[in-house]
Amino acid sequence: MGMGMGMGMGMRQDIEELAKEAEWQIREHKWVPTADDHTVAARVAADLRAVVGTPRSQQELFAVTRLGHLREAFAAVAIALASVHGPMAWFLGAAATALTPILHWRALPALHGHTFGAISPPLQQYTEAEEAIRRLQDTLARLATA
């Protein structure tokens, strides 16, 4: 299990563990989010909610559109990571790491077979990645008011 797995299941599990760790740290006052952390968490939560809608709405989309949304979610996390420090940066960094398999996915057929190593995952992996992002979004929404 864990980060190296590169499978949808691993991603969802990694985000779940990360979310639980963050929630525990905040509950136990080991991480006391700053006003800046609250602002960033609220913004990223809103960004993630905007790109990965309800399970039903996502499953009605074409794979290429779903992949675009997943990449947008990854980008939102990465961009936020550029402006934070300390626990918030470590949390977002771990989230980005867990979501990296998304960067190696492709939804379009490969012309000439040259894909820079991109793979075409089963649709179930899109669903699992979307669930992972919803879980992350939920944690960030809580963090925004912690």
Side-chain angles (χ1 to χ4, degrees), residues 39-88:
T39 304
V40 170
R43 189 179 70 230
V44 180
D47 287 347
L48 297 184
R49 194 162 42 245
V51 293
V52 182
T54 64
R56 183 175 296 267
S57 71
Q58 288 299 312
Q59 286 170 10
E60 288 169 1
L61 300 172
F62 288 112
V64 67
T65 309
R66 288 174 79 179
L67 183 52
H69 289 181
L70 290 170
R71 288 174 181 156
E72 274 186 67
F74 180 91
V77 172
I79 288 166
L81 184 54
S83 65
V84 291
H85 306 281
M88 191 67 181

Side-chain angles (χ1 to χ4, degrees), residues 2-143:
M3 299 289 185
M5 209 172 147
M7 300 292 287
M9 198 61 159
M11 191 188 307
R12 190 170 57 184
Q13 191 58 42
D14 289 345
I15 292 289
E16 181 60 36
E17 287 167 16
L18 182 63
K20 283 183 176 156
E21 169 74 8
E23 287 158 8
W24 176 83
Q25 283 192 27
I26 289 161
R27 200 166 52 242
E28 297 292 318
H29 305 292
K30 298 190 184 308
W31 174 11
V32 180
T34 64
D36 203 34
D37 289 346
H38 288 156
T39 304
V40 170
R43 189 179 70 230
V44 180
D47 287 347
L48 297 184
R49 194 162 42 245
V51 293
V52 182
T54 64
R56 183 175 296 267
S57 71
Q58 288 299 312
Q59 286 170 10
E60 288 169 1
L61 300 172
F62 288 112
V64 67
T65 309
R66 288 174 79 179
L67 183 52
H69 289 181
L70 290 170
R71 288 174 181 156
E72 274 186 67
F74 180 91
V77 172
I79 288 166
L81 184 54
S83 65
V84 291
H85 306 281
M88 191 67 181
W90 309 332
F91 173 73
L92 290 175
T97 301
L99 298 174
T100 48
I102 290 165
L103 301 181
H104 305 291
W105 292 356
R106 63 182 174 82
L108 297 175
L111 301 171
H112 325 299
H114 298 293
T115 65
F116 300 102
I119 56 149
S120 189
L123 284 179
Q124 182 58 29
Q125 285 197 24
Y126 285 82
T127 302
E128 287 166 3
E130 288 156 1
E131 285 168 4
I133 287 164
R134 281 188 205 99
R135 180 69 176 97
L136 180 60
Q137 185 251 311
D138 180 57
T139 302
L140 286 162
R142 285 187 217 180
L143 232 161

